[in-house]
Amino acid sequence: RKVELIPAFSLAGLAIIILLLRGSICLAGDLPPAGKIVDRYIEATGGKDAYAKINNTISTGKFEMPAQGIVMNITSYSARPNLMYAVIESPQLGKIERGVSRGGIAWENSMMTGAAVKEGAEKEQMLIDATFNKMANWEKVYSKVENAGITDVDGKECYKIIFTTPGGKTESSFFERESGLILRTERIIHSQMGDIPSVANLSDYREVDGIKVSFVTEVDVMGQTRKITLEKIENNVELPDGIFETPDEISALLEKEAEAEEE
């Protein structure tokens, strides 16, 4: 079975995630506008000025699949405006790579499934997840945001904010009323295996260079738990040369596609 890499920054995750709609406990007219809830999150995590000072990020940590006894090392690189490269490695599964290269090329490569160029809903999702500090730029990323009401997340009241992508897909984030932080995200993961509902719970917020970041993300996918634990986040560092260039395997696929279109 293919292992889906979930972005760890914003991770952008390695991304994050689901669909299950929860009932609200107050009328829509009594709710604050969705944009104000998101803007409050930006302030609660450091403010726009702090976000504006960050131009790139390297995150390292562990990606665990407890039921299978699998622990993988994960490293993700991200940079403005929407560049991303993430790699997870383990003795059992080898290397799995995902990225958004210059020119907006979304791709994946692994020993299990080979190289693939992403298109359609998969590509849109990867491009959105790769947007640097996505939530701080939500107005440019999403076509619509809605406040769907107040719901409980592990005993804490949260606003459920539904984000609609330009392609018409939706994803939800749950902002705690007290702290303003995101405690959960829900969305559909678009993959080669089909559309998969996923829930991600965010915790262990710590401040890094003036911005609060969740260091622990537990993701429920198809009844299985996957855990991402960040160990180190570095901002505004010198990145490896060519880290966001299109890999040779992906370039070869693109050349084949171009040749097929010409025939």
Side-chain angles (χ1 to χ4, degrees):
R1 173 184 290 180
K2 176 183 172 183
V3 176
E4 282 290 319
L5 169 60
I6 300 182
F9 23 82
S10 7
L11 224 244
L14 313 173
I16 293 182
I17 326 178
I18 198 188
L19 179 74
L20 306 175
L21 301 181
R22 308 289 178 100
S24 65
I25 60 175
C26 66
L27 298 175
D30 299 327
L31 298 170
K36 287 190 175 182
I37 301 300
V38 184
D39 287 340
R40 185 189 172 212
Y41 165 82
I42 297 170
E43 291 304 313
T45 52
K48 290 186 177 181
D49 289 344
Y51 279 103
K53 294 176 182 178
I54 308 300
N55 295 309
N56 65 51
T57 299
I58 301 177
S59 302
T60 55
K62 300 294 184 183
F63 184 94
E64 302 176 62
M65 302 178 68
Q68 292 79 16
I70 295 174
V71 179
M72 297 172 274
N73 294 316
I74 178 170
T75 303
S76 63
Y77 304 81
S78 58
R80 294 183 185 277
N82 62 346
L83 299 173
M84 180 271 286
Y85 170 72
V87 55
I88 59 175
E89 299 179 90
S90 76
Q92 302 99 318
L93 300 174
K95 180 187 292 187
I96 303 169
E97 301 171 280
R98 284 167 64 90
V100 173
S101 304
R102 301 185 190 281
I105 301 169
W107 58 272
E108 183 175 87
N109 192 17
S110 75
M111 294 177 60
M112 296 178 292
T113 61
V117 178
K118 301 300 182 179
E119 297 294 345
E122 280 190 89
K123 179 177 182 178
E124 183 193 49
Q125 192 166 71
M126 286 188 67
L127 290 176
I128 287 175
D129 287 341
T131 301
F132 195 73
N133 288 329
K134 175 179 68 175
M135 204 57 70
N137 297 284
W138 65 271
E139 291 177 289
K140 298 178 181 178
V141 175
Y142 298 100
S143 60
K144 182 171 65 174
V145 295
E146 303 170 84
N147 189 339
I150 300 171
T151 190
D152 180 274
V153 174
D154 296 331
K156 298 179 181 179
E157 288 189 346
C158 293
Y159 290 110
K160 177 182 177 178
I161 305 301
I162 300 176
F163 297 85
T164 302
T165 71
K169 306 297 182 181
T170 60
E171 54 192 61
S172 301
S173 292
F174 295 77
F175 297 78
E176 187 186 9
R177 293 184 73 184
E178 182 177 349
S179 68
L181 301 177
I182 296 176
L183 302 188
R184 175 175 292 170
T185 64
E186 298 181 346
R187 71 177 178 182
I188 297 295
I189 298 175
H190 305 292
S191 72
Q192 293 176 337
M193 296 185 295
D195 290 347
I196 304 171
S198 172
V199 181
N201 292 300
L202 287 67
S203 61
D204 191 14
Y205 276 87
R206 307 180 200 173
E207 187 173 310
V208 180
D209 295 329
I211 298 175
K212 287 184 180 179
V213 182
S214 169
F215 271 67
V216 176
T217 303
E218 293 188 82
V219 185
D220 183 5
V221 179
M222 300 176 64
Q224 297 184 1
T225 298
R226 302 171 184 180
K227 184 177 181 180
I228 298 170
T229 303
L230 299 184
E231 297 171 342
K232 187 176 183 180
I233 297 176
E234 300 175 277
N235 295 314
N236 293 335
V237 295
E238 185 175 350
L239 299 175
D241 290 340
I243 196 66
F244 299 123
E245 298 303 320
T246 305
D248 292 342
E249 299 92 333
I250 303 302
S251 295
L253 285 178
L254 292 172
E255 289 178 5
K256 288 182 179 180
E257 291 178 2
E259 290 173 358
E261 290 178 358
E262 291 177 357
E263 293 179 355

